[in-house]
């Protein structure tokens, strides 16, 4: 009888149910010191960084490319019974976490003792590279994927000032300290925002938007209102009226769901690997300055156009990330575009430019048997849809000085840290089940 081959990765054979049961925040790692109180403890072991293999497995769990989005949506328009704006999709590549419209708006940064890296999103690769990435994932070649995906942005462990409001007091002893690997998801909101508005302002949705910071006046789209002969429902009784604040809350929530999937996957992979780890607050904008983002200064009087401002301070707003003349991340707004009209048109081209747009590239990077044929049947946006989106986006940028007006283009919220646990700490203060066999049998112990 042939011998059963050994599993490629011992942790890949772990039961999902057992991993769900084992998922916990385990904050205390080797080399840490918890000061004062009933759990005061000084680790007697030196910090021990994760192995390349462990980091690679975690990076794949967080945001690895896994295949193709199915995108089984109705794409026809024109009032047909099942018309449905399927062109709200943007990419046709999937990764380990769900993403609204397959936007993949969340970029993960990896920070350790050797430096800081950005992990490229699916759209940051050439489409011709995607099949090899998918095959490597299926074969569990995670180190290879990790090395292909990461782009170094610093030679050191990036860290904001270790004091409140930058780091919560209870996290200072454990977060982003030597020996740990720190995963920081950053969301880019402008692309999702423009994409959604191109659907909201089409003939199927025909939504109307008002500025609740400006007396619920139309948000730059007066001429598109049905009451003015346009196609958007501005009668509140119809139920298709939205506010800027409500829309921008939706955008952030959509992006944060993607971030939540990343954090959950990191927690599950940490448990499967027998590591410690925990998600925690990392929402302060200073992270963008620490990472070296390009910052624009916006007067607070502009951001708070609806309120009197005593001291007109400059508010730093992250708009993109560049290294050595190369743009790694950018937002669909100035300064990368002359104005919001140019930004919206660039986004439309990103999807529909013949031969290179994600909807007009021949369909090779899709899951369809005949991608080109399916793409040919996906309609472009109507001119008035594009014009309404431009007017809305321009109104926000001109009035408030940034896009979106609530947050700016980029946001952080939570980070996730992984590390080797100090079993002595848990043995001293906790019952035996606080650590799993995976923790106790980890080669580091």
């Amino acid at each position: 009888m042939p011998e059963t081959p050994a599993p490629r990765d011992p942790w890949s054979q772990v039961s999902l149910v057992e991993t769900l049961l084992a998922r916990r925040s385990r904050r205390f790692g080797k080399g840490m010191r918890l000061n004062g109180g009933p759990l005061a403890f000084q680790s007697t072991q030196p910090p021990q960084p994760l192995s390349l293999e462990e980091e690679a497995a975690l990076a794949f769990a967080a945001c690895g490319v896994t295949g193709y989005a199915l995108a089984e949506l109705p794409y026809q328009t024109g009032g047909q019974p099942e018309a449905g704006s399927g062109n709200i999709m943007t990419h046709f590549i999937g990764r380990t976490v769900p993403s609204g419209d397959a936007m993949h708006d969340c970029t993960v940064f990896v920070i350790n003792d050797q430096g800081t890296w950005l992990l490229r999103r699916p759209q940051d690769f050439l489409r011709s590279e995607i099949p090899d990435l998918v095959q490597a994932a299926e074969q569990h070649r995670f180190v290879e994927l990790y090395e292909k995906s990461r782009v170094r942005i610093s030679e050191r462990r990036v860290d904001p000032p270790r004091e409140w409001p930058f780091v919560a007091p209870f996290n200072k002893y454990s977060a982003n300290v030597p020996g740990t690997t720190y995963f920081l998801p950053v969301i880019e909101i402008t692309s999702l925002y423009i994409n959604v508005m191109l659907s909201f302002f089409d003939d199927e949705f025909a939504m109307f938007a008002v500025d609740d910071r400006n007396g619920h006046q139309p948000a730059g789209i007066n001429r598109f209102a049905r009451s003015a002969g346009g196609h958007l429902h501005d009668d509140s009784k119809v139920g298709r009226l939205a506010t800027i604040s409500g829309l921008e809350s939706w955008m952030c929530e959509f992006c944060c769901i993607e971030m939540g999937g990343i954090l959950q996957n990191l927690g599950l992979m940490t448990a499967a690997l027998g590591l410690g780890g925990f998600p925690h607050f990392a929402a302060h904008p200073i992270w963008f300055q620490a990472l070296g983002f390009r910052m624009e200064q916006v007067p607070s009087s502009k951001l708070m156009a609806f309120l009197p401002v005593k001291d007109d301070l400059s508010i730093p707003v992250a708009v993109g990330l560049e290294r050595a003349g190369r743009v790694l991340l950018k937002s669909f707004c100035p300064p990368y575009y002359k104005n919001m009209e140019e930004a919206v048109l660039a986004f439309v081209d990103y999807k529909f430019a013949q031969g290179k747009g994600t909807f007009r590239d021949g369909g090779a990077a899709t899951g369809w048997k005949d991608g080109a044929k399916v793409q040919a049947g996906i309609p472009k946006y109507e001119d008035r849809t594009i014009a309404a989106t431009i007017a809305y986006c321009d109104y926000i940028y001109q009035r408030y000085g940034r896009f979106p007006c609530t947050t700016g283009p980029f946001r952080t919220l939570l980070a996730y840290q992984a590390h080797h646990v100090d079993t002595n700490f848990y043995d001293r203060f906790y019952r035996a089940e606080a650590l799993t066999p995976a923790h106790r049998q980890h080669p580091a112990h």
Side-chain angles (χ1 to χ4, degrees):
M1 188 173 182
E3 187 174 321
T4 303
R8 290 166 291 185
D9 324 285
W11 46 267
S12 69
Q13 306 302 307
V14 177
S15 158
L16 174 60
V17 172
E18 291 302 317
T19 304
L20 287 166
L21 289 169
R23 192 219 57 79
R24 293 286 185 282
S25 288
R26 295 178 175 88
R27 292 174 172 80
F28 198 91
K30 292 185 175 184
M32 294 182 185
R33 180 186 178 191
L34 200 164
N35 294 334
L39 299 180
F41 193 85
Q42 169 71 63
S43 175
T44 59
Q45 304 178 66
Q48 183 175 357
L50 303 192
S51 68
L52 180 63
E53 290 76 15
E54 288 170 329
E55 277 192 1
L58 287 162
F60 175 76
C63 57
V65 173
T66 55
Y68 302 101
L70 302 181
E72 58 274 73
L73 298 174
Y75 292 100
Q76 70 268 33
T77 58
Q80 295 150 2
E82 294 183 2
S85 302
N87 59 8
I88 196 170
M89 291 291 293
T90 298
H91 303 109
F92 297 97
I93 301 164
R95 53 181 182 173
T96 53
V97 292
S99 177
D101 312 329
M103 293 295 303
H104 309 306
D105 291 306
C106 205
T107 300
V108 178
F109 290 81
V110 181
I111 304 169
N112 63 27
D113 293 338
Q114 281 71 51
T116 301
W117 290 264
L118 169 153
L119 297 181
R120 292 193 286 167
R121 303 163 299 172
Q123 60 264 41
D124 299 325
F125 291 93
L126 296 174
R127 284 167 209 155
S128 59
E129 297 178 276
I130 298 300
D132 288 341
L133 298 178
V134 174
Q135 184 179 62
E138 291 171 345
Q139 296 174 354
H140 296 200
R141 304 197 318 263
F142 298 131
V143 171
E144 177 185 335
L145 283 173
Y146 187 41
E147 292 178 334
K148 282 183 177 179
S149 299
R150 63 180 184 168
V151 178
R152 183 186 286 273
I153 65 165
S154 178
E155 299 291 333
R156 63 180 182 85
R157 177 186 287 275
V158 168
D159 198 23
R162 300 192 64 77
E163 58 189 32
W164 181 252
F166 313 115
V167 178
F170 46 78
N171 286 333
K172 287 168 66 174
Y173 89 91
S174 56
N176 203 22
V177 296
T180 66
T181 298
Y182 201 78
F183 295 87
L184 180 68
V186 170
I187 56 177
E188 189 280 306
I189 306 172
T190 64
S191 53
L192 177 70
Y193 202 170
I194 292 172
N195 189 57
V196 169
M197 300 317 296
L198 284 165
S199 285
F200 274 19
F201 292 151
D202 72 8
D203 290 348
E204 310 300 333
F205 284 95
M207 298 283 289
F208 195 78
V210 297
D211 186 354
D212 48 322
R213 298 183 177 188
N214 186 26
H216 289 82
Q217 295 298 308
I221 53 173
N222 314 51
R223 66 188 177 95
F224 300 97
R226 288 210 167 189
S227 62
H231 68 293
L232 304 181
H233 291 276
D234 57 325
D235 185 346
S236 60
K237 298 184 182 68
V238 178
R240 300 198 192 187
L241 205 62
T243 65
I244 290 178
S245 293
L247 288 167
E248 296 196 353
S249 292
W250 287 353
M251 302 309 143
C252 286
E253 288 161 7
F254 258 91
C255 292
C256 286
I257 287 170
E258 184 174 337
M259 181 187 295
I262 288 171
L263 296 169
Q264 174 72 353
N265 280 7
L266 285 167
L268 292 173
M269 183 60 82
T270 297
L273 292 170
L275 298 171
F278 64 107
H280 54 278
F281 175 84
H284 199 284
I286 201 169
W287 266 110
F288 296 116
Q289 293 164 280
L291 289 166
F293 270 67
R294 180 175 178 176
M295 310 297 291
E296 295 282 300
Q297 301 296 321
V298 179
S300 57
S301 58
K302 190 85 169 172
L303 291 175
M304 302 178 183
F306 63 106
L307 289 175
V309 176
K310 182 179 179 182
D311 298 315
D312 197 3
L313 305 175
S314 290
I315 308 298
V317 176
V319 294
L321 180 65
E322 305 167 13
R323 284 296 184 276
R326 177 185 173 193
V327 178
L328 300 176
L329 293 173
K330 72 174 182 179
S331 47
F332 280 92
C333 64
Y336 292 99
Y337 300 94
K338 181 173 63 177
N339 50 40
M340 288 308 298
E341 177 180 10
E342 187 174 285
V344 171
L345 293 175
F347 184 79
V348 172
D349 278 351
Y350 180 79
K351 294 178 71 169
F352 285 101
Q354 193 59 44
K356 61 180 182 179
T358 58
F359 280 68
R360 295 293 185 267
D361 60 0
T366 71
W368 295 310
K369 289 181 177 180
D370 191 343
K373 181 179 179 180
V374 176
Q375 285 189 341
I378 299 175
K380 299 179 181 178
Y381 298 114
E382 297 288 340
D383 288 345
R384 63 182 181 179
T385 297
I386 297 172
T389 304
I390 290 170
Y392 173 84
C393 296
D394 187 63
Y395 171 86
I396 291 175
Y397 188 80
Q398 292 297 330
R399 182 168 179 81
Y400 296 107
R402 66 182 182 182
F403 182 80
C405 63
T406 309
T407 63
F410 291 92
R411 273 210 66 183
T412 62
L413 182 62
L414 297 173
Y416 191 92
Q417 177 173 292
H419 51 258
H420 291 114
V421 298
D422 187 330
T423 57
N424 294 329
F425 171 81
Y426 292 95
D427 287 342
R428 177 168 178 178
F429 293 110
Y430 292 85
R431 294 189 292 271
E433 62 267 26
L435 298 180
T436 69
H439 294 104
R440 299 192 180 281
Q441 295 167 14
H442 191 282
H445 304 309

